[in-house]
Amino acid sequence: QGSWLVWPDFRLLMAFASTTESWTSSAANGVRVKSWWLFARAMACPMRFATRRGDLTLRVCGFFDSGAFTNSGVDLLNSQTTTREWLAAGPAIRLTLRLSTVIFMEIEPTLMIPITRWTFTYKNTATGPEQTLDQIRTVGQAVNFGLGYRFP
């Protein structure tokens, strides 16, 4: 409660995501890749800005991700599965709205800066050289939403 500026908050979380992506360029028409992404995130929010009653708070945070990124070709004659490390860090801002004495809602926009950036390639043995399909971006973004219960 209150409007203290220094009020540290620390979180650890794990996340998993899975997707299948298709490319339609002439070099890789119909190539599909299945991806799995598993990571752990350590987040620290050393400062907060709050209304006098503490119903609305804004926290300035930083995080570090570590995990694995696995890709596998789908419906290809000689598909390969590769797993590589995933490392990223970045800033976040967490806005928390207290709905009651025990229920709260959060929204948390983040900027993710990958430390490891992989290029995804495809080689059609019939047509020749390796083709670059995609590359992990220099900066990514996400917005996390949450509804929570604070035990009294």
Side-chain angles (χ1 to χ4, degrees):
Q1 305 289 343
S3 58
W4 292 88
L5 177 62
V6 178
W7 192 301
D9 179 61
F10 302 97
R11 292 186 180 180
L12 293 174
L13 67 91
M14 288 191 69
F16 172 78
S18 177
T19 185
T20 300
E21 188 166 354
S22 297
W23 284 272
T24 56
S25 68
S26 60
N29 191 18
V31 172
R32 296 184 328 137
V33 173
K34 175 97 173 154
S35 299
W36 301 271
W37 185 35
L38 176 67
F39 70 93
R41 173 173 287 175
M43 179 175 272
C45 306
M47 295 188 314
R48 79 170 192 158
F49 304 92
T51 59
R52 185 171 296 256
R53 292 184 352 167
D55 292 341
L56 184 65
T57 61
L58 176 78
R59 292 185 182 274
V60 180
C61 308
F63 65 88
F64 179 77
D65 292 348
S66 178
F69 197 59
T70 300
N71 294 282
S72 181
V74 177
D75 299 330
L76 298 175
L77 186 59
N78 294 313
S79 68
Q80 294 180 348
T81 298
T82 58
T83 299
R84 296 182 174 160
E85 72 274 0
W86 170 259
L87 298 172
I93 296 173
R94 183 183 309 143
L95 184 63
T96 305
L97 176 63
R98 191 173 67 190
L99 302 173
S100 73
T101 56
V102 294
I103 305 289
F104 62 94
M105 182 175 62
E106 292 183 337
I107 183 169
E108 186 180 81
T110 62
L111 285 179
M112 188 180 313
I113 303 162
I115 297 167
T116 51
R117 294 183 57 222
W118 302 109
T119 300
F120 304 103
T121 60
Y122 164 74
K123 182 175 182 180
N124 184 334
T125 54
T127 60
E130 200 168 78
Q131 303 291 324
T132 297
L133 297 175
D134 205 356
Q135 182 175 17
I136 293 177
R137 296 183 183 130
T138 306
V139 176
Q141 70 282 342
V143 178
N144 303 314
F145 297 96
L147 187 61
Y149 178 83
R150 189 176 320 273
F151 292 94

